[in-house]
Amino acid sequence: MAKYYVTKTEVTYIEGKLDCIETILSKPSEEKSAHEGARRFRALGTENVHVVKHAKKRYNKLLREQNKRRKENPLTVADIARMTAQAKAEE
């Protein structure tokens, strides 16, 4: 049987160019389970949710890109200290 997974697409317009980001929201599973997962994400208010047929090469490519985006700007202790100072200054 074919496997399916749920993704979310974000389209932004930056400096005259379209920028698209596709994020994987679930692991590959049966079609019925994937559609149920997509329904739940939509019920939570997530927009642009899609059910996609699993193709190993495309899925792994999206996962690598997603991991790179997540690791681009790691949060450091200095960042947290700055945020705390800003919060205290606003109070």
Side-chain angles (χ1 to χ4, degrees):
M1 277 188 142
K3 300 266 184 179
Y4 293 83
Y5 60 95
V6 180
T7 64
K8 177 178 129 181
T9 307
E10 298 173 20
V11 181
T12 54
Y13 192 70
I14 301 173
E15 298 176 10
K17 294 183 181 180
L18 285 177
D19 183 37
C20 302
I21 297 174
E22 188 171 7
T23 306
I24 297 171
L25 299 177
S26 71
K27 292 181 178 180
S29 61
E30 300 300 321
E31 184 175 12
K32 187 175 180 181
S33 300
H35 281 288
E36 176 64 20
R39 185 194 65 77
R40 289 180 182 212
F41 278 112
R42 289 184 189 111
L44 289 171
T46 308
E47 296 179 354
N48 302 324
V49 175
H50 312 285
V51 175
V52 182
K53 189 172 183 179
H54 182 260
K56 185 177 179 181
K57 188 173 181 179
R58 183 173 187 272
Y59 180 82
N60 289 339
K61 180 182 175 187
L62 288 173
L63 198 57
R64 281 191 306 272
E65 290 173 1
Q66 189 172 327
N67 288 338
K68 286 178 188 175
R69 283 194 308 270
R70 186 177 54 83
K71 292 180 181 179
E72 264 180 12
N73 300 316
L75 195 60
T76 63
V77 175
D79 294 334
I80 295 172
R82 266 188 251 118
M83 288 180 208
T84 308
Q86 286 177 351
K88 286 181 182 177
E90 290 177 1
E91 291 178 352

